[in-house]
Every structure is written in structure tokens, then in C-alpha cells.
Amino acid sequence: MSGIYIHIPFCKKKCNYCDFASMQIDADKDKDCIDRYLSALTKEISSFPLPTTYYLLPTMYIGGGTPSILSTSQINFLISSIRKKFDFSNTSEITFECNPESVNEEKLKLLKSLEVNRLSFGTQSFYDDELKFLGRVHSVSDIFQKYNLARSVGFQNINIDLIYGLPGQKVKKWLENLKKAISLSPEHVSIYPLTIEENTDLFRRDIKTSDEVQNQMHFAARDFLEKHGFIHYEISNFARHGRASQHNLNYWRCGEYLGFGSAASSFAYGKRWKNSSDIVKYVNNPSNSKECLAAVDGEEMVSDKIFLGLRLLNEGVAIDSEIENKYREKINNLQKSGLIVREKNRMKLNRNSIYVSNRIMSEFV
């Protein structure tokens, strides 16, 4: 087994662009609600049937939502409970997502003592006006303060998340965001175009974005970050040498994983399933809230291998006999059109065709 994902669905405020499985909550007033959720989560984990080989845990990712909204006692309860189920003796990476407004020195020291060795900061922008537009509740000064605090506590593997392509945002301002980000010397940077999803505040306000401008920003970011020593290893992700996200690499390589918590997805034993996104339903019966349980046949597995593997820009997808026999004509056509590159027994996206990557990948779905 190649890792587990733990979902914490609570946030101090729902962001204006967010359609994730999360809910706004007051961590102090609603402490009992969070405690009930964590009890259900640990119950699901402890009761989940596992073959012996699955107890060894290569990676763990605690995301959300906002995991750093948890109190120190709640964080300690959660991670200590997981350790009762899984063997962490060979775990290489434990990631914990943090937001600047809800992480502090006490929590960071606790995370370090619990052997969390990678942080992912939900930064999104280094301009207060952009943070306000996105509905974030932290300020730029919070970012620098909390990031430097994490360094002082001893964290040596930190990711910074950024969003680009806001309405009216210019390429120059986007590059200034990146300059401010790398001034902190992070090991990893993730960049995502602003997407307007239904049931979000931005959708209700009829906010529009420009695909053309977002494409320009993506390529500008690639050139800038590569110039400053980052490897563009996945469509949205850049890392210093040896600092790619091991947990996420497993997803893109079509590896198995288990997800715990409301809305968490899993792929193991040749099956896929997802827990209910209804937090109340999940809390009332965490061990029996699984939805969409389905076997994955060989054809679907081949399709997924290509769809996910093409996201890995340097690694690409190994073309075995099964892929060759099924997709030879499509591969040849995409190669002739310059959208993919074939090197012996591997195929990769052409670096300049990323802006149409979804269309390319859909050829194999």
C-alpha cells in the first residue's frame, strides 16, 4: 500500500472559489463538533480491515479543509490514533496542510514532535487585495510570519500553494507573486488557475476568467521557476531536486491509496470507493458511509494509467504492449500533431501543449 489520506473538512471561512468538501466552523465554539468528527474518523481507521502488508505506511497526507484549524490536543489525538493502526517505521513523508491564520508555534512544535516532515501552506497570493477577492482570512504579513515560524521550528520541506488568473490580474503581478514566494526559499511550489465552480461565491457573482491569460501566466511561471532552480515535474507542481511530493506522485503513477474521513476517496484491492460527503451521515456511521464502490477492470486501469501518467511531464507513461495495441493510432496521431513526444517506450506531453492537456488526456478516457 502506498499511502493514506486523512480529510479534515473544517475551515474558519469558506473561500469564495471553494467547492471542496468542507464547511465553515468556529473552532472554539464548535469544539464538540470537531471532536465528534475526529472520534468517527479514528473509529473508521481502527475498524478498517487490512491485510498485513498494508500496515506499512510509505506516506501520509492530512488535508482539507484546513487541518491546522484543529487544536493541539485534537492534532495529537488524531495522529496518535493513526499510529495505533499503521506502522510508521519506514514512512518517508508526512504532509500536513496549514493556513497562516490558524497555525501557531505550539501547533508547529507538536507536528514536528509527531514526525510530520512536510508542510503545505495555503498561501494563494502575496497581495492583500487578491487575498480579499479570494475570500482568504489571512494577510500577507501572516504568511511571512507563520512561514518563518515553521522554519525556526525546524521544518525543512515546505510547499507554497498559489492561485493565478484572477480577473484583472496581469502577468507582471503574477510574476511578482512568484518572486515573493521564492524569496522564502520553499522546496516546492504548486500553482493553480482560478476556476469558477458552481455553488461558489464567485459563480454566484458571475465572475469570469480568461483561458488565454491563464495560459500565458502558466508558461510565465514555468519559465520563471525553472530559471530559479525548480523542476517542473507535474502540470501544476514545481520542486527542488528530490523534493517532489511523494504522496501525490503515487496518485499520478496509479498506485493504491486509502482515504479516511468524509468525502475521502480510496483505490485498493482493485476497487474504488468514496466516503459520504455528508458530514453528519459520516459521523453517525463512519464505517458504513462508503459510496460508489466499484471494481476497476483492466481497460479502465490502462486508461487511468495514461490519463494520470501524462501529468508527469518528465516521467510520462511507459508504453507497454497493452497500451500499444489499444491506442497505437491515437498515439501516432498525437505525436504527428506535436502534442505528445514519444521517446522509445515512453510518451510525454509536449511541454508547449500543456494548455490543451485536458483534451489530449480525454483521448484515452
Side-chain angles (χ1 to χ4, degrees):
M1 203 264 294
S2 295
I4 62 172
Y5 171 78
I6 308 295
H7 189 65
I8 305 299
F10 306 113
C11 292
K12 184 175 182 179
K13 178 183 178 296
K14 191 85 168 176
C15 294
N16 296 340
Y17 57 87
C18 180
D19 72 334
F20 299 151
S22 61
M23 65 176 288
Q24 186 169 313
I25 200 168
D26 185 311
D28 295 323
K29 292 181 180 178
D30 300 312
K31 179 181 178 298
D32 289 346
C33 176
I34 297 177
D35 286 341
R36 287 196 299 273
Y37 177 83
L38 293 178
S39 294
L41 176 58
T42 55
K43 180 180 178 181
E44 181 196 8
I45 293 170
S46 63
S47 64
F48 192 87
L50 287 173
T52 304
T53 54
Y54 274 62
Y55 286 100
L56 288 167
L57 192 66
T59 64
M60 178 170 71
Y61 195 108
I62 302 176
T66 309
S68 57
I69 200 173
L70 302 181
S71 67
T72 51
S73 61
Q74 289 166 339
I75 292 171
N76 188 58
F77 171 77
L78 172 63
I79 297 180
S80 298
S81 298
I82 299 169
R83 286 185 175 277
K84 293 177 182 177
K85 179 75 171 185
F86 292 96
D87 183 347
F88 281 71
S89 59
N90 291 311
T91 304
S92 62
E93 182 184 274
I94 302 176
T95 301
F96 192 91
E97 288 186 346
C98 298
N99 275 2
E101 77 279 353
S102 58
V103 73
N104 57 35
E105 184 174 10
E106 186 181 11
K107 291 179 185 180
L108 288 167
K109 286 182 176 179
L110 174 64
L111 290 170
K112 197 77 173 60
S113 72
L114 293 170
E115 300 182 334
V116 171
N117 57 10
R118 184 175 184 268
L119 299 178
S120 183
F121 267 89
T123 304
Q124 314 315 349
S125 174
F126 282 87
Y127 285 92
D128 284 325
D129 61 325
E130 293 182 344
L131 291 172
K132 183 178 180 180
F133 170 81
L134 293 169
R136 305 293 289 180
V137 292
H138 65 265
S139 66
V140 173
S141 62
D142 291 333
I143 297 170
F144 283 96
Q145 179 187 357
K146 300 304 176 62
Y147 183 97
N148 289 328
L149 190 59
R151 287 298 199 201
S152 70
V153 168
F155 283 97
Q156 299 177 3
N157 193 2
I158 301 179
N159 170 63
I160 287 178
D161 276 347
L162 293 171
I163 294 177
Y164 63 92
L166 284 62
Q169 186 184 44
K170 305 298 184 184
V171 174
K172 181 179 179 181
K173 191 171 184 180
W174 166 231
L175 288 175
E176 288 299 320
N177 263 300
L178 291 169
K179 289 178 184 177
K180 293 175 186 291
I182 69 166
S183 73
L184 292 170
S185 299
E187 285 69 33
H188 194 284
V189 177
S190 299
I191 63 169
Y192 303 101
L194 177 65
T195 56
I196 310 300
E197 305 288 355
E198 291 189 33
N199 301 316
T200 65
D201 179 75
L202 295 185
F203 180 83
R204 289 186 286 272
R205 288 158 54 189
D206 198 30
I207 298 296
K208 304 295 183 185
T209 60
S210 166
D211 290 343
E212 181 180 355
V213 172
Q214 288 187 342
N215 290 334
Q216 292 173 4
M217 290 181 172
H218 188 280
F219 288 118
R222 180 192 69 184
D223 294 343
F224 177 83
L225 290 169
E226 288 187 336
K227 180 181 177 181
H228 287 85
F230 288 85
I231 300 167
H232 190 193
Y233 73 99
E234 194 272 341
I235 289 176
S236 299
N237 290 278
F238 300 77
R240 298 288 186 186
H241 180 72
R243 295 297 197 172
S245 169
Q246 297 305 305
H247 184 86
N248 290 334
L249 278 172
N250 178 60
Y251 293 148
W252 297 316
R253 289 169 177 162
C254 232
E256 292 189 337
Y257 54 90
L258 295 176
F260 297 103
S262 66
S265 298
S266 300
F267 168 52
Y269 322 127
K271 296 180 180 180
R272 297 187 193 282
W273 66 92
K274 179 183 177 183
N275 286 346
S276 173
S277 298
D278 184 325
I279 296 176
V280 174
K281 180 179 178 181
Y282 173 80
V283 168
N284 287 338
N285 199 347
S287 300
N288 194 31
S289 69
K290 294 172 176 53
E291 302 172 343
C292 306
L293 183 62
V296 180
D297 61 26
E299 186 172 332
E300 183 181 355
M301 194 67 190
V302 171
S303 177
D304 285 356
K305 187 188 298 185
I306 299 172
F307 183 86
L308 294 169
L310 283 175
R311 296 191 64 90
L312 295 172
L313 303 178
N314 299 322
E315 188 173 314
V317 181
I319 304 176
D320 55 26
S321 58
E322 192 172 16
I323 291 175
E324 183 76 61
N325 292 335
K326 184 175 181 180
Y327 294 112
R328 181 183 292 110
E329 184 176 353
K330 288 185 177 181
I331 292 171
N332 289 339
N333 289 338
L334 289 168
Q335 185 180 5
K336 288 175 183 177
S337 63
L339 295 174
I340 67 168
V341 176
R342 180 167 181 170
E343 299 173 352
K344 295 183 179 180
N345 68 332
R346 303 196 78 84
M347 63 176 171
K348 308 174 185 179
L349 284 179
N350 183 317
R351 283 168 55 85
N352 294 320
S353 65
I354 290 174
Y355 67 98
V356 290
S357 60
N358 287 338
R359 178 170 71 81
I360 296 170
M361 294 170 187
S362 68
E363 294 286 323
F364 302 98
V365 175

